[in-house]
Amino acid sequence: MPSTRDIRRRIKSVKNTAQITKAMQMVASAKMRKAQQSAISGRPYALLMNEVLGAAISGAGDFSHPLMERREIKKRALIIISTDKGLCGGLNTNLLREAFKLPASTTVYITAGRKGSQWVARLRRELLAEFSPKDTPRFEDARAISKFAQELFLSGKVDAVDVVFTNYINTLTQKAELTSLLPLDKIQKLDPDIRGAGIKEELRGITGLDTTFEPSAPNFLGNLLPHYVNFQIFQMLLEAKASEHSARMVAMKSATDNAKQIIKDLTLEYNKLRQANITKELLEITSAAMAMGN
Amino acid sequence: MATLKLEIVTPEARIFSEDVDMVTLPGSEGEMGIFPMHIPLMTQIVHGEVLARRGGQDFLVAVGEGFVEITADRVAILTDMAIKADDIDEIRAEEARKRAEARLAEKLGDEEQAAVQSALMHSLTQLNLKRRLRH
């Protein structure tokens, strides 16, 4: 049976924890709003670029670009976009479960975010490069990752590049997704509601009239394709950030709620014990008085 | 009369999305004017100004590098920067230009060099547009 002092001590420590998680929740929710905003405002661009690219590829006829080349997959690279810190619920667990699906023997890893690197290191898998994008991802961060992946693909060291990231759907829902980045052999139509890789149907180009390219189709696509890959990664970084902050906010909110519940339970127990003690003392006094009186 | 739907989109926002009568844009092969019922065309744009005309009224937008898809009834511009002429803050653009020039004087990595270079071009484009409007 714990004494009242023990319970008081526990209440105090739980209160402290609640205060910390509450503060973290506030920080996360402020960051979340910003991250969500930038993830959502990037979507029109991603959609339009997707459309333009689809039209360009179908309009260019039997043109082929090295980035579109489809080879037999002997080695594939996986880009893991994870968070740097924990305390965000099951976000990284879900993400890495997705990453785990690819066979270890034929996969090499590129990571963005510390949790991903730790996971690769723990499983003793082959880590090619480690990037650490800032808390608000910039386009340059994405370009660096993308350039590395493209060079890897073009030099023939890997035959495919996939990405696993957390797609932001709303504050309560984030979905870990594994999507193919390279080769760009099939450009798939994006879902207008959910950016990510919400794939609905194969993209069709404009039909009927032939499209003219200025200066030329290879030139246009040669510039557009690498940019498309850069931007894809950028958008994924944004989505991952929005997911991270949302997940952290939700996790911290439930932690605070739990702490409050525990405080409530403990206070009840404390009061019960206190009253029991008082009753016991009263009993002792009265029984002592009665013994004296007789 | 047929109209064109002009869309200008950057990674940050959709800057412009309206029906217009005519568009001129700074193509990589030179300035080009687009009227409705244009043949499908894909091209790239360089730093410069996009002019949209609707009912005798002109709208100017400063744009960065990007890609354009032109169809009979639509002009879609994807660019890394787009600011309407009215929204350009000349003082801030001038400051950005100075900052970028100062940064260029330092030794930078490839990636950074490219980023600063494009920031410089962005501010220069905005300044040019503002100056031209005054004359």
Side-chain angles (χ1 to χ4, degrees), chain A residues 41-42 44-45 48-49 51-52 55-56 140 143-144 147 206 209-215 219-220 223-224 227 231, chain B residues 9-14 28-29 32 39-44 67-69 71 74 76-79 111 114-115:
Chain A
S41 58
Y45 190 85
L48 191 59
M49 172 129 71
E51 264 176 54
V52 169
E140 292 89 88
R143 201 160 46 198
K147 207 168 131 196
I206 34 174
L209 290 162
D210 283 338
T211 309
T212 322
F213 288 88
E214 250 181 61
N219 193 308
F220 181 82
N223 283 320
L224 182 60
H227 185 70
F231 189 77
Chain B
V9 182
T10 69
E12 284 89 36
R14 191 190 295 269
S28 58
E29 306 292 289
M32 57 169 96
I39 57 160
L41 175 74
M42 301 240 171
T43 187
Q44 284 167 261
F67 304 92
V68 188
E69 183 202 17
T71 56
R74 188 173 82 145
I77 301 180
L78 288 164
T79 172
E111 285 296 318

Side-chain angles (χ1 to χ4, degrees), chain A residues 139-159:
Chain A
F139 196 66
E140 292 89 88
D141 296 326
R143 201 160 46 198
I145 301 173
S146 162
K147 207 168 131 196
F148 186 81
Q150 286 180 39
E151 273 166 14
L152 214 58
F153 180 78
L154 291 177
S155 67
K157 281 189 192 121
V158 299
D159 307 302

Side-chain angles (χ1 to χ4, degrees), chain A residues 8-78:
Chain A
R8 251 202 330 260
R9 208 177 284 150
R10 273 201 64 197
I11 290 177
K12 216 171 147 193
S13 106
V14 174
K15 257 189 191 148
N16 281 337
T17 312
Q19 224 160 36
I20 293 171
T21 54
K22 178 89 188 165
M24 286 169 85
Q25 180 198 333
M26 302 295 235
V27 171
S29 75
K31 283 188 180 166
M32 175 187 84
R33 222 160 295 137
K34 230 177 91 190
Q36 286 179 356
Q37 195 55 46
S38 48
I40 288 166
S41 58
R43 286 176 185 173
Y45 190 85
L47 280 175
L48 191 59
M49 172 129 71
N50 186 247
E51 264 176 54
V52 169
L53 187 63
I57 286 178
S58 62
D62 54 356
F63 163 79
S64 167
H65 186 272
L67 286 175
M68 292 161 68
E69 190 191 343
R70 181 172 218 158
R71 298 187 289 249
E72 193 199 334
I73 297 167
K74 292 193 209 79
K75 203 97 181 153
R76 72 167 75 228
L78 178 67

Side-chain angles (χ1 to χ4, degrees), chain A residues 38-222:
Chain A
S38 48
I40 288 166
S41 58
R43 286 176 185 173
Y45 190 85
L47 280 175
L48 191 59
M49 172 129 71
N50 186 247
E51 264 176 54
V52 169
L53 187 63
I57 286 178
S58 62
D62 54 356
F63 163 79
S64 167
H65 186 272
L67 286 175
M68 292 161 68
E69 190 191 343
R70 181 172 218 158
R71 298 187 289 249
E72 193 199 334
I73 297 167
K74 292 193 209 79
K75 203 97 181 153
R76 72 167 75 228
L78 178 67
I79 304 177
I80 303 176
I81 302 177
S82 67
T83 66
D84 277 339
K85 294 180 206 122
L87 294 176
C88 45
L91 192 78
N92 285 318
T93 322
N94 292 337
L95 184 80
L96 296 172
R97 188 179 307 133
E98 208 56 46
F100 195 70
K101 285 181 185 162
L102 293 177
S105 52
T106 56
T107 314
V108 291
Y109 298 87
I110 301 165
T111 60
R114 258 210 315 275
K115 286 283 165 189
S117 332
Q118 284 165 0
W119 178 80
V120 174
R122 199 166 55 236
L123 293 181
R124 295 172 199 283
R125 298 199 174 169
E126 195 180 345
L127 182 63
L128 280 190
E130 197 179 330
F131 292 91
S132 40
K134 299 258 161 51
D135 203 32
T136 42
R138 292 168 312 162
F139 196 66
E140 292 89 88
D141 296 326
R143 201 160 46 198
I145 301 173
S146 162
K147 207 168 131 196
F148 186 81
Q150 286 180 39
E151 273 166 14
L152 214 58
F153 180 78
L154 291 177
S155 67
K157 281 189 192 121
V158 299
D159 307 302
V161 180
D162 292 345
V163 192
V164 59
F165 73 109
T166 318
N167 199 6
Y168 169 76
I169 295 166
N170 58 41
T171 308
L172 293 174
T173 329
Q174 300 91 29
K175 196 161 166 268
E177 269 171 26
L178 182 69
T179 54
S180 157
L181 185 71
L182 293 172
L184 288 166
D185 54 350
K186 45 184 190 300
I187 306 297
Q188 277 160 325
K189 193 176 172 64
L190 293 175
D191 187 335
D193 301 324
I194 304 158
R195 187 225 76 87
I199 292 154
K200 279 275 167 76
E201 53 180 305
E202 198 105 338
L203 195 75
R204 283 187 308 275
I206 34 174
T207 44
L209 290 162
D210 283 338
T211 309
T212 322
F213 288 88
E214 250 181 61
S216 64
N219 193 308
F220 181 82
L221 277 169

